[in-house]
Amino acid sequence: MKRLLFLLTLIIYSVMEAQDGALISIETETSALVLKVGKNKKLYQTYFGTRLNNGSEYEFISKENTKKFVINDGNPLIDLRHSAYPTFGTNNLFEPAIRMTHNDGNPSLELEYQSYSTEKIDENTAETIIKLKDPQYPVFVTLHYKTFHKENIIESWSEIQHQEKKSVMLYNYASSALHLDADKYWLTQFYSDVVEEMRMEESQLTRGSKVIDSKLGVRTNMFAAPSFFLSLNSKSGENTGEVIAGSIAWSGNFKFTFDIDNNNELRIISGINEFASEYNLEPGTVFKTPSFIYTFSNQGKGQASRNLHDWARKHGLKDGEKPRLTLLNNWETTFFDFDQTKLSNMFEDAKTLGVDMFLLDDGWFGNKHPRSGSTSGLGDWQATKTKLPDGIGFLMQKAKETNVKFGIWIEPEMINEKSELYEKHPDWVLTLPNREKSLYRTQLVLDLCNPKVQDFVFKVVDDIMQTESGVAFFKWDCNRMMTSAYSNYLKNQQSHLFIEYTKGLYKVLDKIKSKYPNLPMMLCAGGGGRVDYGLLNYFTEFWASDNTDPFDRIFIQWGYSNFYPALAVCNHVTSMGNQSIKFRTDVAMMGKLGFDIHVGGLKEDELKYTQEAVANYKRLSPVIWKGDLYRLVSPYEDSRAVLMYVNENKTQSVLFSYTLHPLTDPNYGLVKLNGLDPAKRYQVKEINIMPKGKAVFEESGTVFSGDFLMKIGLKVSSSKGENSVVLEITEI
């Protein structure tokens, strides 16, 4: 009896003490992150999950957590498991968010809570700022949490500075430390390679550390994407389960560490990869980390994706709520073999297709070393006189006369040894002293740490924009990673290279965005090797992969759909693969549609189909670009893929069904639709049918209730391999 009374007293005391401590609630419409100050002045995370209606009850979420943070202050095996921004050098036994050495040689850091404030930026956005300080050294860390209420997104980043007499050395500098308590953890990661981007792989996390990172310098995600899903307790489905979706907004080396301790508690440390990047921080200088962007969903991965899409269109993507341009690219038709007459004729092809723009790809520049292949010309951004005697201004004028817009390809961060630029400025290249040059795709990387190189790269864009009326669109490519990286500009601070290169790139893009705020640009990197929300702040869209085979593209585009909205993902109809023009076009319509085909080589019925498909796409693009995405059948789980987009007021939807490679007659069953209004009535009509072709969807034109479509469903798939069905669903 005495023991029971003692335990009750202990619990009551814990709750009372918790109520007395500073409680910081960071909330969105449906989620909450709660931080608490212990009586040792340390800051802890006590909760992350579904938002409570009564905020005062966050104190009662877990009596065990309350005891950890209040009564047991000072026990490193208990307290510091949930440290909001864990340090290194004193009693932290786990992965740190920050590690430094002071100028007196002391390798330790402690951080005590100082104050916090919350500023309401607008009706939907607020920022909570928490100030921490070392009690013995003038080192200050400020934690930032920016919330987007309706989108249920949190952005976290940190700012580190000091007032010591000399510089300090930073070894770790995370953007965020997030703590989770569950029985089990399931990680969905996205691995990549050239022509195999954004492939999903799910596994259960076990004790110890799991690291996903990049050491490529330039291309963030050639091997691993900077985004993940983390499911709690059990595998999450599209519509069920608790899941966190996270992504880092950094365009250089990134790192996620998933660390499960002996008590089965998980911490996720996110930020810049500190590998080979120790940083000398001068007194008074602020080291700002990139944003870790994350969302919590208790309704599965589908809702987490829709949260990110909503946020991206409004806040994460350049011009995310503006229309996109459909286009015809010349690459697969001409490669490097073209002249201004051939290109001018292709403007008519773009008009025939009904697209908005013609995009001139690689091979238009260089004179002393003309760009006739991949080995020369990069760095010399003047039109090749033998190909374009009247310059790109002539092409701009011809496009205008044809009533199509004109876009152009550049790769301004890279250089060939066979170029006038390299002959003049070999010191502008990243290359090791006393070593052979490390070429990849016959290219070297320009040193964007150097302000002169930054000015040069900006001038590439500025000069083109100052020609005639300028171009309507840039495709910005980056075809290699850093190897043997050494900056002549940085001299004795080579460990700053990976960070300063990315900052230099952002400086260039800031200047471009400031001078040309409405200029659309496509982000490309040897395919989809460079996709993140750091760069998408400057780019309207990205090239998903150099693999345009529609079978493979279904998996690639499916992977990207988890984190990026449809209008950001560029999909082109090309000659790659042996599938029908219908299948290739229907797959490309899942995102931002473009073409890279020889229009004159199309058969009459293929051209007629394509023209009709482009007209359908333009009519329905607001639904695809701005609608809520529902992934209905995964190609990872079936021999088909089915997804649909639904507009905001649930009056219109577009459904795409792609049959892959079924081994036998699949006899596909009904697919339950999602996102519609059960009280509305919808006409379901198959579109994108080949001339003289027959509809696969036998009930085309029939009216159904939203209730029926979502509870019973429809047969939406062809049983034939590499076949597709597109349904337009409209409220009656």
Side-chain angles (χ1 to χ4, degrees), residues 175-191:
S175 298
S176 168
L178 195 62
H179 301 267
L180 300 164
D181 294 273
D183 293 332
K184 295 179 180 179
Y185 308 94
W186 292 86
L187 176 67
T188 304
Q189 64 190 90
F190 296 80
Y191 67 87

Side-chain angles (χ1 to χ4, degrees), residues 496-552:
H496 290 203
L497 171 59
F498 293 126
I499 294 172
E500 294 304 325
Y501 183 97
T502 303
K503 288 182 177 180
L505 175 60
Y506 289 161
K507 287 177 183 177
V508 173
L509 294 169
D510 277 325
K511 286 181 70 175
I512 294 170
K513 189 175 180 181
S514 177
K515 188 167 184 178
Y516 305 105
N518 300 314
L519 178 63
M521 295 202 297
M522 179 200 295
L523 176 63
C524 183
R530 193 191 214 183
V531 182
D532 63 85
Y533 278 117
L535 277 176
L536 287 175
N537 176 50
Y538 306 100
F539 289 83
T540 50
E541 56 222 70
F542 63 86
W543 181 234
S545 176
D546 283 345
N547 183 351
T548 54
D549 183 299
F551 175 83
D552 293 332

Side-chain angles (χ1 to χ4, degrees), residues 294 303 449 458 468 504 555 661 671-672 690:
Y294 56 107
Q303 186 59 56
C449 305
F458 170 77
E468 295 291 333
F555 290 89
H661 293 161
V671 174
K672 295 178 182 179
M690 287 291 292

Side-chain angles (χ1 to χ4, degrees), residues 54-219:
N54 182 357
S56 65
E57 292 185 320
Y58 290 124
E59 291 280 10
F60 300 93
I61 289 170
S62 168
K63 293 184 178 69
E64 285 301 313
N65 273 356
T66 303
K67 285 188 285 185
K68 286 176 188 176
F69 301 128
V70 179
I71 291 185
N72 294 304
D73 283 335
N75 184 339
L77 287 174
I78 298 176
D79 276 350
L80 296 176
R81 294 182 191 277
H82 287 70
S83 174
Y85 199 70
T87 61
F88 173 82
T90 54
N91 55 1
N92 176 25
L93 304 179
F94 307 108
E95 185 75 15
I98 183 170
R99 181 168 78 93
M100 69 164 54
T101 297
H102 303 275
N103 57 62
D104 66 358
N106 190 328
S108 68
L109 183 70
E110 288 279 9
L111 291 174
E112 292 184 351
Y113 169 81
Q114 299 293 300
S115 65
Y116 92 96
S117 62
T118 299
E119 176 188 356
K120 193 168 186 179
I121 299 170
D122 54 42
E123 289 302 310
N124 187 58
T125 314
E127 184 177 342
T128 297
I129 301 170
I130 304 173
K131 295 186 179 297
L132 309 174
K133 180 186 179 299
D134 190 300
Q136 301 299 326
Y137 288 87
V139 176
F140 310 89
V141 173
T142 304
L143 304 182
H144 294 258
Y145 300 89
K146 191 174 184 180
T147 57
F148 300 86
H149 187 76
K150 292 180 181 177
E151 296 83 13
N152 295 299
I153 295 290
I154 300 175
E155 280 189 49
S156 296
W157 71 94
S158 61
E159 292 181 350
I160 305 163
Q161 61 178 311
H162 70 93
Q163 296 295 339
E164 298 191 25
K165 293 179 180 180
K166 300 178 183 178
S167 65
V168 302
M169 182 66 79
L170 284 176
Y171 296 96
N172 295 69
Y173 30 81
S175 298
S176 168
L178 195 62
H179 301 267
L180 300 164
D181 294 273
D183 293 332
K184 295 179 180 179
Y185 308 94
W186 292 86
L187 176 67
T188 304
Q189 64 190 90
F190 296 80
Y191 67 87
S192 295
D193 201 348
V194 178
V195 307
E196 197 181 21
E197 290 86 349
M198 286 301 281
R199 295 301 182 103
M200 295 197 299
E201 191 170 52
E202 188 169 31
S203 59
Q204 185 179 350
L205 291 176
T206 56
R207 303 292 171 90
S209 293
K210 163 82 173 182
V211 174
I212 301 173
D213 71 349
S214 165
K215 301 180 182 71
L216 301 171
V218 173
R219 293 170 61 181

